[in-house]
Amino acid sequence: EVQLVESGGGLVQPGRSLRLSCAVSGLTFDDYAMHWVRQAPGKGLEWVSGINWNGGGIAYADSVKGRFTISRDNAKNSLYLQMSSLTVEDTALYFCAKDVGSIARNLHCWGQGTLVTVSS
Amino acid sequence: QSALTQPASVSGSPGQSITISCTGTSGDVGGYNYVSWYQQHPGKAPKLLIYDVSNRPSGVSNRFSGSKSGNTASLTISGLQTEDEAHYYCGSYTSTTTVVFGGGTKLTVL
């Protein structure tokens, strides 16, 4: 069974940094691209970032470009999102998702999310 | 990176069919066959229903089908069931190698 488990969320002050992790099991991790998606309370889905199977092909939403960094460690079956210069607008439930294939295009399996709250 | 356009809400009765549209541009929906559809029940993670315009992942009911014409993609749900009541989101790969979602459509099963 494929499992994705996010961690690292919490309450953080504006301007600070936070690092999210996503532990993946039940599949050959380095066969697949990965994504981060967020959902603000009561709002729709917003794609944040994607990374291809080998760590290349990285892309970001304009709203986070220059502040967030996606990375993966295929040896540890893990995905990461380093978030800096956080603002209240970054408050959301952050999901990691596995792609259907090796290029970041479709989001197949999703974790349950980790909540990030940015507030003073 | 403008969001794709979906109707805010649709409704139908059990057994009926409904269609949800998703309109983008030639830089996303119209330019690539990488349109996907997701179902999200309250408090749950989204679930992939359709990928690459019309492909169903293993385990997804064949009551869900997808299509595309020009810059508009569509999700059709046939034989509507009460458990289909949820939010539905479309997504598309874009010319800047990002992914963009629609604003979401709330389906009410009357």
Side-chain angles (χ1 to χ4, degrees):
Chain A
E1 179 192 4
V2 176
Q3 285 196 322
L4 297 90
V5 180
E6 303 92 338
S7 61
L11 175 62
V12 61
Q13 292 180 326
R16 304 298 291 266
S17 299
L18 205 60
R19 188 195 196 205
L20 305 184
S21 299
C22 174
V24 182
S25 60
L27 51 78
T28 303
F29 182 67
D30 57 10
D31 276 352
Y32 299 98
M34 297 292 296
H35 304 259
W36 286 101
V37 175
R38 68 186 181 183
Q39 187 169 34
K43 302 296 185 181
L45 303 176
E46 180 186 13
W47 181 86
V48 172
S49 182
I51 184 169
N52 291 346
W53 68 278
N54 61 355
I58 289 174
Y60 299 97
D62 287 344
S63 58
V64 307
K65 197 175 298 183
R67 300 188 300 121
F68 289 12
T69 302
I70 192 172
S71 62
R72 63 188 295 161
D73 185 335
N74 287 348
K76 294 183 178 180
N77 287 5
S78 293
L79 177 72
Y80 306 101
L81 186 68
Q82 179 67 47
M83 306 185 294
S84 62
S85 303
L86 286 162
T87 73
V88 294
E89 286 75 32
D90 295 317
T91 294
L93 185 63
Y94 284 73
F95 296 100
C96 73
K98 158 201 167 294
D99 200 280
V100 171
S102 59
I103 306 298
R105 295 174 183 145
N106 299 281
L107 292 81
H108 188 188
C109 300
W110 300 59
Q112 291 304 305
T114 186
L115 182 62
V116 173
T117 303
V118 184
S119 175
S120 54
Chain B
Q1 294 177 351
S2 299
L4 307 176
T5 301
Q6 299 181 233
S9 62
V10 298
S11 62
S13 299
Q16 286 186 331
S17 294
I18 63 96
T19 296
I20 299 172
S21 62
C22 170
T23 301
T25 68
S26 59
D28 38 63
V29 173
Y32 304 91
N33 288 324
Y34 300 126
V35 176
S36 49
W37 289 91
Y38 307 87
Q39 176 192 61
Q40 187 179 33
H41 287 105
K44 300 293 187 181
K47 173 186 175 182
L48 178 65
L49 297 175
I50 298 289
Y51 68 97
D52 293 354
V53 177
S54 60
N55 292 325
R56 271 188 313 274
S58 174
V60 172
S61 171
N62 60 8
R63 297 188 299 107
F64 297 93
S65 62
S67 63
K68 190 186 84 167
S69 177
N71 294 339
T72 298
S74 299
L75 172 72
T76 297
I77 309 174
S78 59
L80 211 55
Q81 300 178 0
T82 54
E83 56 262 38
D84 297 332
E85 187 162 295
H87 279 88
Y88 292 82
Y89 297 90
C90 61
S92 177
Y93 182 72
T94 80
S95 59
T96 54
T97 71
T98 62
V99 172
V100 62
F101 287 111
T105 298
K106 179 174 172 54
L107 169 62
T108 300
V109 181
L110 303 169

